[in-house]
Amino acid sequence: MTSVRRRRHFLAAGGTWAVASAVLGAAADEHSQAERADASEDEVSPPEDLMREHGVLRRILLIYDEILWRRMAHDQDFPPEVLSGSAGIVRGFVEDYHEKLEEEYVFPRFRAAGKQIELVDTLVAQHRGGRVLTDVVLQRANERALKDPGDRAKIMASLRLFARMYRPHAAREDTVLFPALRAVVSPHEFDALGEEFEDKERELFGQEGFKGVVERVAGLERKLGIYDLADFTASWTQG
């Protein structure tokens, strides 16, 4: 092979290698981006984590509204297991998990910083009151109790009081407390809280975690016939 031919062969081989390297590099970069996207889907900041858990609470409150104001108030039947299942999620996810995170990891940091102490004290008192109301519902969320006028009245009162308390409770946390969390912890603490929340969630609710709880709520909504969001669309015409 002459020197000219050898040089052409070398350049051709080099060009082929460069193209192959570029293709492989692009594929690797695309794969890396996909992995980062998958990872970031589950990575949320502590305030965002707590706020999305309030979304579960708000969907339960919609179930409570349907049962209280459209079914029980008009003597219409509904599956008792929807009420017991909803109260069970309140107890297991909202009270025994979400509120414990707040009481063990969030509230103490505001107290240590001397900030929002009055608000934190009120929130803790409301947590305790909520547990009492949930006890009433869990004890009576069955067909026999729902037919008893006295038990029925206690269920209705508990659902009404729970919703009245927790709507402003969650709204105040979302708009005042959680946005201020970053200001009362160091960047390292902030990141560590996110990891701690994720570990607790998997420990209690398995690999599905938050998504699994949301699907349980959706199942209860379907049983009650209020899952379709379009059904809540306001229809208004000018008279």
Side-chain angles (χ1 to χ4, degrees), residues 18-36:
V19 171
S21 296
V23 171
L24 290 172
D29 185 59
E30 184 178 345
H31 180 69
S32 178
Q33 288 179 5
E35 285 185 335
R36 286 197 298 270

Side-chain angles (χ1 to χ4, degrees), residues 16-209:
T16 303
W17 172 250
V19 171
S21 296
V23 171
L24 290 172
D29 185 59
E30 184 178 345
H31 180 69
S32 178
Q33 288 179 5
E35 285 185 335
R36 286 197 298 270
D38 291 341
S40 63
E41 184 179 347
D42 293 325
E43 290 177 4
V44 295
S45 69
E48 182 184 354
D49 201 4
L50 295 167
M51 287 178 185
R52 71 176 185 170
E53 288 165 7
H54 277 171
V56 169
L57 171 62
R58 289 187 172 96
R59 289 175 70 167
I60 293 293
L61 292 179
L62 288 175
I63 293 174
Y64 279 4
D65 283 347
E66 174 71 16
I67 289 174
L68 174 61
W69 301 112
R70 297 192 62 186
R71 305 301 179 91
M72 297 184 76
H74 296 91
D75 293 321
Q76 294 182 10
D77 292 334
F78 62 91
E81 63 270 19
V82 173
L83 180 56
S84 61
S86 298
I89 292 173
V90 170
R91 174 53 47 85
F93 183 75
V94 177
E95 295 172 349
D96 287 347
Y97 168 64
H98 172 84
E99 291 182 352
K100 281 187 180 295
L101 289 183
E102 294 176 338
E103 293 176 5
E104 294 177 9
Y105 296 96
V106 178
F107 296 169
R109 285 170 166 85
F110 280 95
R111 288 198 172 104
K115 297 181 181 296
Q116 302 292 346
I117 294 177
E118 183 177 354
L119 173 57
V120 165
D121 288 343
T122 299
L123 295 172
V124 171
Q126 292 182 343
H127 287 178
R128 293 172 183 157
R131 294 187 74 88
V132 173
L133 296 172
T134 300
D135 282 340
V136 173
V137 178
L138 285 172
Q139 291 164 5
R140 294 170 174 81
N142 56 74
E143 192 169 352
R144 183 197 60 76
L146 286 167
K147 291 180 179 179
D148 181 90
D151 285 335
R152 191 178 179 89
K154 289 178 181 177
I155 292 171
M156 293 177 74
S158 297
L159 295 180
R160 183 172 61 252
L161 290 171
F162 188 91
R164 184 180 185 277
M165 179 170 65
Y166 268 93
R167 283 196 168 97
H169 176 103
R172 195 64 60 90
E173 288 184 334
D174 286 347
T175 58
V176 177
L177 200 73
F178 298 160
L181 179 59
R182 196 183 287 270
V184 299
V185 298
S186 68
H188 174 73
E189 275 187 296
F190 191 82
D191 292 340
L193 280 176
E195 294 176 5
E196 190 71 34
F197 290 179
E198 185 177 342
D199 289 343
K200 290 284 185 182
E201 182 181 300
R202 288 178 178 171
E203 176 186 337
L204 292 175
F205 305 105
Q207 284 299 115
E208 286 299 310

Side-chain angles (χ1 to χ4, degrees), residues 2-23:
T2 67
S3 61
V4 173
R5 290 178 62 191
R6 280 198 299 270
R7 191 161 68 88
R8 287 176 179 171
H9 178 76
F10 175 79
L11 290 173
T16 303
W17 172 250
V19 171
S21 296
V23 171

Side-chain angles (χ1 to χ4, degrees), residues 191-232:
D191 292 340
L193 280 176
E195 294 176 5
E196 190 71 34
F197 290 179
E198 185 177 342
D199 289 343
K200 290 284 185 182
E201 182 181 300
R202 288 178 178 171
E203 176 186 337
L204 292 175
F205 305 105
Q207 284 299 115
E208 286 299 310
F210 173 77
K211 294 178 182 178
V213 176
V214 170
E215 187 51 44
R216 286 170 58 195
V217 175
L220 296 171
E221 292 169 338
R222 291 186 183 98
K223 282 188 177 181
L224 203 55
I226 62 168
Y227 175 74
D228 191 347
L229 184 62
D231 291 342
F232 291 90

